[in-house]
């Protein structure tokens, strides 16, 4: 561990927020400060500061495009303090050593997000700042690099705890974060230029890394990259696992398609229970009734705050996780009765626009399936039109089928999942599985509706459904033999609607 006193600093930032405390701390520890442009004007009202122009002997030129790109700046940053040749060069050309660099890059991504003009976007490509970051990070043995205003608070703590000095470990940590900053910044610029050429590319840099207990199985390592605290706050319970995160993601995807008060129980990424009802307690009871056996050890999600009354009923079930947009104090006390139970307070459910997964020696990328059909998507193809109640149930079932593993069939009545057949190699098997489950839990299928994630290649599924009393069907359509299923529905007095959108999920 090599502790080094900070004797000089170069500060060049876009945003000046929260910078004043840093300047005062540096001044207190006798640090010589250099700065440029607006940052210089800001600092000179707080402490003694030297302009970079006074160091280089050159003014800022090209409208501010060139300010710090000079040997007297980069020589001071990159010089190796223990290298005699470097020391000779510094002495010969009167270059001061620079021990600390504080840079906040031009806001490229923010300018892009604001739909600025092309010329405005280009002007927000930082050149000098990126160069300063890379130089200081490379020479971490002697120089500390602060590459984002998000590090100001930690920098202040570091300065005060070590009296204006830094250790090698500190400098390595800040250098690692600096290269993450430049990687993300350059990726955003690269993506923008690729978009100008309508060029598809894949690059990703997500931090921080959150080490998990293990992956899908105990012999597999697992890491989550991202900021879970932007999505939810964990109020109680054990550490979230790899499999928990998969189920949480599936739960978030499902609930995002519902606006009415809804409860769902997720097991192995599929809904084993789901119901919508204006009465939250009724929604929970109907969701649980869909498959109380599979619900054991599952995760619960709702789009409605949880009160004590509902918490008391939910608490009767053994489950791993509950997600909700708020809990009453009494509800939390009830749910916290199990020490390992994970309780998550949902902040945001902003779904990513793209999905990706590793395949073979590459990556598959696709648009997220953000189609959530409403009544405007339905095309009646049978003589009989579905009733208002059937339409409500068909749309409910179609939301569930979208979020279930293919091949899948969903059976619904009164906005309650009666049963599902998921992950089957044939659609007929999926239907038979769903029918058997519904009967095992005492549900009558008379007047129920059926949803399929893909078209029916043959009329066998609607024939089986009709025998069980199912009265309406929804599917994407698109088979060359669609008419055979339509003809059977007409002969059996069933209603059928197609949406035009398939919802495979693998």
């Amino acid at each position: 561990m090599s502790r080094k006193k900070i004797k000089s600093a170069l500060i060049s930032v876009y945003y000046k927020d929260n910078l004043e405390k840093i300047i005062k701390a540096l001044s207190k520890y006798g640090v010589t400060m250099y700065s440029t442009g607006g940052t210089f004007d800001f600092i000179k009202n707080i402490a003694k500061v030297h302009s970079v122009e006074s160091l280089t002997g050159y003014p800022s030129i090209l409208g501010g495009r060139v300010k710090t790109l000079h040997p007297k700046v980069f020589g001071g940053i990159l010089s190796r303090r223990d290298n005699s040749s470097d020391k000779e060069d510094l002495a010969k050309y009167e270059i001061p050593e620079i021990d600390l660099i504080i840079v906040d890059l031009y806001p490229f991504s923010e300018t892009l997000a604001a739909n600025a003009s092309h010329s405005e976007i280009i002007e927000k490509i930082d050149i000098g700042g990126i160069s300063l970051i890379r130089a200081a990070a490379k020479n971490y043995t002697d120089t500390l690099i602060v590459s984002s205003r998000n590090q100001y608070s930690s920098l202040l703590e570091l300065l005060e705890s070590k009296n204006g000095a830094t250790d090698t470990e500190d400098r390595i940590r800040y250098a690692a974060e600096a290269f993450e900053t430049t990687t993300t910044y350059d990726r955003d610029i690269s993506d923008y230029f690729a978009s100008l050429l309508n060029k598809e590319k894949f690059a990703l840099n997500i931090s921080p890394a959150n080490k998990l207990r293990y992956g899908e199985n105990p012999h597999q390592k697992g890491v989550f990259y991202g900021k879970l605290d932007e999505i939810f706050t964990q109020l109680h319970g054990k550490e979230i696992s790899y499999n928990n995160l998969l189920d949480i993601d599936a739960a978030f995807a499902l609930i995002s398609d519902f606006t009415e008060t809804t409860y769902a129980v997720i097991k192995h990424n599929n809904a084993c229970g789901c119901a919508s009802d204006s009465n939250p307690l009724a929604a929970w009871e109907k969701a649980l009734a869909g498959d109380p056996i599979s619900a054991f050890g599952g995760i619960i999600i709702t789009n409605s705050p949880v009160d004590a009354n509902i918490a008391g009923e939910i608490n009767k079930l053994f489950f791993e996780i509950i997600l909700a947009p708020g809990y009453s104090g009494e509800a939390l006390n009830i749910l916290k009765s199990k020490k390992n139970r994970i309780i998550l307070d949902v902040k945001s459910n902003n779904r990513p626009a793209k999905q990706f997964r590793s395949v073979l020696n590459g990556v598959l990328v696709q648009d997220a399936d953000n189609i959530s059909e409403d009544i405007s998507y339905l095309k009646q193809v049978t003589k009989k039109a579905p009733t208002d109640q059937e339409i409500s149930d068909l749309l409910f079932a179609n939301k569930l089928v979208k979020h279930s593993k293919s091949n899948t069939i969903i059976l619904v009545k009164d906005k309650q999942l009666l049963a599902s057949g998921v992950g089957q190699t044939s659609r007929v098997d999926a239907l038979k599985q769903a029918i058997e489950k519904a009967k095992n839990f005492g549900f009558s299928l008379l007047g129920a509706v059926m949803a399929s994630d893909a078209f029916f290649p043959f009329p066998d599924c609607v024939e089986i459904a009709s025998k069980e009393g199912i009265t309406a069907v929804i599917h994407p359509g698109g088979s060359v033999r669609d008419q055979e299923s339509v003809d059977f529905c007409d002969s059996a007095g069933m209603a059928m609607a197609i949406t035009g959108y398939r919802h495979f999920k693998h």
Side-chain angles (χ1 to χ4, degrees):
M1 180 177 68
S2 176
R3 180 161 294 189
K4 290 181 179 290
K5 183 78 173 176
I6 298 174
K7 299 176 182 177
S8 59
L10 173 61
I11 307 164
S12 179
V13 300
Y14 188 85
Y15 293 106
K16 316 301 186 294
D17 301 343
N18 302 316
L19 184 63
E20 183 173 349
K21 290 182 179 179
I22 302 293
I23 301 305
K24 289 181 177 179
L26 293 174
S27 179
K28 181 177 73 171
Y29 294 117
V31 176
T32 299
M33 288 178 273
Y34 299 92
S35 192
T36 64
T39 310
F40 173 82
D41 292 337
F42 176 84
I43 296 174
K44 72 180 184 181
N45 295 317
I46 304 169
K48 184 178 180 180
V49 61
H50 304 278
S51 68
V52 167
E53 290 87 347
S54 68
L55 172 63
T56 64
Y58 280 87
S60 172
I61 62 173
L62 305 182
R65 282 189 164 197
V66 180
K67 290 179 285 191
T68 59
L69 296 170
H70 193 280
K72 282 204 169 184
V73 173
F74 283 85
I77 297 170
L78 287 165
S79 65
R80 293 158 291 189
R81 310 304 195 256
D82 59 356
N83 185 291
S84 58
S85 177
D86 285 4
K87 288 182 178 180
E88 290 175 5
D89 285 341
L90 293 189
K92 180 178 180 180
Y93 298 106
E94 299 181 339
I95 300 173
E97 295 173 347
I98 301 178
D99 307 312
L100 169 65
I101 300 294
I102 301 177
V103 174
D104 183 42
L105 297 172
Y106 289 169
F108 177 84
S109 59
E110 292 90 336
T111 304
L112 184 61
N115 295 317
S117 67
H118 175 71
S119 61
E120 290 174 313
I121 292 169
I122 295 302
E123 285 306 310
K124 287 301 184 288
I125 297 177
D126 204 312
I127 303 301
I130 282 283
S131 302
L132 291 170
I133 290 173
R134 291 180 63 85
K138 176 178 179 177
N139 200 33
Y140 70 88
T141 53
D142 297 300
T143 307
L144 178 71
I145 173 61
V146 176
S147 56
S148 168
R149 65 185 185 277
N150 296 327
Q151 297 171 316
Y152 288 175
S153 60
S154 64
L155 172 62
L156 189 60
E157 291 176 8
L158 176 62
L159 292 172
E160 292 176 345
S161 66
K162 297 181 180 178
N163 294 315
T166 65
D167 295 325
T168 302
E169 183 182 331
D170 303 320
R171 297 190 294 274
I172 290 175
R173 184 175 71 254
Y174 277 79
E177 293 177 6
F179 283 120
E180 285 186 10
T181 297
T182 59
T183 298
T184 301
Y185 196 80
D186 285 340
R187 184 204 64 208
D188 290 344
I189 296 170
S190 175
D191 288 347
Y192 174 67
F193 275 86
S195 72
L196 298 179
L197 300 171
N198 294 316
K199 179 182 176 183
E200 294 289 341
K201 63 186 293 291
F202 179 79
L204 200 63
N205 181 45
I206 300 176
S207 61
N210 302 274
K211 188 176 180 181
L212 305 173
R213 283 174 289 165
Y214 50 80
E216 200 162 7
N217 299 292
H219 63 277
Q220 296 170 274
K221 292 182 179 179
V223 179
F224 173 78
Y225 295 91
K227 299 177 181 178
L228 291 174
D229 57 0
E230 293 180 353
I231 307 299
F232 53 70
T233 299
Q234 182 167 352
L235 303 177
H236 183 73
K238 62 183 180 180
E239 179 185 345
I240 297 173
S241 72
Y242 183 100
N243 290 329
N244 289 156
L245 288 171
L246 291 178
D247 279 333
I248 289 170
D249 182 66
F252 269 125
L254 173 66
I255 208 71
S256 66
D257 276 341
F258 290 88
T259 53
E260 187 177 356
T261 298
T262 301
Y263 271 82
V265 184
I266 306 295
K267 195 73 172 286
H268 294 295
N269 308 159
N270 293 299
C272 59
C274 186
S276 293
D277 197 289
S278 57
N279 182 334
L281 180 58
W284 161 246
E285 291 173 340
K286 288 162 68 177
L288 179 61
D291 188 344
I293 294 177
S294 295
F296 183 87
I299 81 167
I300 300 166
I301 189 165
T302 180
N303 55 7
S304 174
V306 177
D307 62 22
N309 187 31
I310 299 171
E313 292 301 312
I314 291 175
N315 197 49
K316 297 175 182 178
L317 174 72
F318 171 76
F319 62 92
E320 283 208 49
I321 304 172
I322 182 168
L323 302 99
Y327 306 82
S328 70
E330 192 175 350
L332 274 179
N333 290 335
I334 294 169
L335 294 172
K336 286 181 178 179
S337 61
K338 303 294 183 182
K339 69 175 184 178
N340 287 330
R341 178 180 288 160
I342 297 170
I343 303 173
L344 304 178
D345 188 4
V346 175
K347 296 180 182 178
S348 168
N349 190 11
N350 294 325
R351 307 295 299 162
K354 296 284 185 180
Q355 296 174 325
F356 58 91
R357 63 169 72 176
S358 59
V359 174
L360 301 174
N361 62 344
V363 177
L364 277 175
V365 181
Q366 67 171 356
D367 294 335
D369 185 358
N370 290 326
I371 296 293
S372 184
E373 293 89 344
D374 57 27
I375 193 170
S376 67
Y377 286 78
L378 302 187
K379 179 182 178 182
Q380 178 186 334
V381 291
T382 50
K383 294 176 182 177
K384 181 181 178 182
T387 65
D388 289 345
Q389 181 60 53
E390 286 172 337
I391 289 174
S392 177
D393 285 345
L394 289 171
L395 293 173
F396 180 93
N398 202 59
K399 295 180 192 298
L400 285 170
V401 88
K402 168 186 169 182
H403 297 286
S404 302
K405 297 288 186 180
S406 300
N407 289 315
T408 183
I409 293 289
I410 298 291
L411 305 179
V412 164
K413 187 175 182 180
D414 296 328
K415 289 185 285 188
Q416 177 187 18
L417 172 62
L418 303 183
S420 61
V422 298
Q424 298 301 303
T425 52
S426 87
R427 206 155 299 284
V428 171
D429 285 346
L431 175 56
K432 288 179 177 178
Q433 181 190 60
I435 291 171
E436 181 180 1
K437 285 188 68 175
K439 290 181 177 179
N440 286 344
F441 292 114
F443 289 113
S444 168
L445 294 177
L446 290 174
V449 305
M450 174 174 72
S452 173
D453 60 333
F455 62 63
F456 299 109
F458 306 102
D460 44 11
C461 281
V462 291
E463 291 169 359
I464 295 169
S466 176
K467 292 177 182 177
E468 299 297 333
I470 291 168
T471 56
V473 180
I474 187 171
H475 71 114
S479 169
V480 294
R481 304 178 71 166
D482 272 353
Q483 193 58 43
E484 293 180 22
S485 293
V486 174
D487 290 343
F488 177 83
C489 287
D490 282 338
S491 67
M494 298 171 68
M496 177 182 282
I498 62 174
T499 65
Y501 287 90
R502 188 181 72 186
H503 290 296
F504 272 166
K505 185 182 179 187
H506 297 105

